[in-house]
Every structure is written in C-alpha cells, then in structure tokens.
Amino acid sequence: MLIRTIISLISTIFYIYELLIFARCILSFIPFYNKFVEWVYMATEPVLLPCRKLMDKFNINLPIDFSPMIAIVLLRFLQRIFVSVVYAIIL
C-alpha cells in the first residue's frame, strides 16, 4: 500500500510538471502577461534552460524551440528511474 502511494505521488508530481511545460508552450502564443504566466515561466525555466543550453552546445539552431520536448523526455526518464529506485528500496 505504501509503495503504491509513493509511486502515485512521484508520478503525479512529474505529470503536473509536464502539464506546466505544456501550458508554457501554449502561453507563449498568447500575447498577454499576468502573475499566472509569470509563475509558469518561473516554475519551468529551471528545467527548460539547461535543455536550451544543451541544444546550443550541439549547435542545433532551429526556428522552433524543442527544449520542452527534450525536457518532457528527460522528465519521463527520471520518473522511471525514481519509480525503480522506490521499488528497489521498499522491496
């Protein structure tokens, strides 16, 4: 029971963060700025900035910002690692 709760909590946290990244992508097309938009940008920038720097390091200059997709792939990978670690610790 405890393991399901912990895994569910981990999965929910990652899912909410993915939704924030998706919201940021949508909000980037809307020309208004308020506290919610500012909060979404501040919450997602720590993950998206390293992805952008990684793209710059490999000299990937595209007209579309693919850092949200890279971030989501990396977040899903980290989620699987965390769930595996929880299984290994508890079982």
Side-chain angles (χ1 to χ4, degrees):
M1 182 71 174
L2 177 64
I3 192 168
R4 287 184 187 166
T5 304
I6 293 171
I7 290 172
S8 177
L9 179 65
I10 291 170
S11 297
T12 302
I13 290 169
F14 276 94
Y15 180 70
I16 289 170
Y17 204 78
E18 288 176 17
L19 286 177
L20 284 174
I21 291 173
F22 181 71
R24 179 176 173 154
C25 293
I26 299 300
L27 290 171
S28 69
F29 291 105
I30 300 172
F32 69 90
Y33 195 76
N34 59 23
K35 291 289 183 183
F36 175 72
V37 175
E38 181 180 341
W39 180 81
V40 170
Y41 272 69
M42 285 179 21
T44 56
E45 191 63 22
V47 172
L48 294 178
L49 184 62
C51 293
R52 278 193 213 102
K53 287 183 179 180
L54 182 69
M55 290 176 60
D56 287 341
K57 183 178 180 180
F58 290 109
N59 204 12
I60 302 172
N61 297 321
L62 299 172
I64 299 173
D65 184 15
F66 283 102
S67 61
M69 290 193 327
I70 294 170
I72 288 174
V73 168
L74 291 175
L75 285 172
R76 295 228 175 146
F77 179 70
L78 285 174
Q79 177 186 2
R80 288 179 185 253
I81 288 174
F82 283 137
V83 168
S84 298
V85 167
V86 168
Y87 271 126
I89 290 172
I90 295 188
L91 296 179

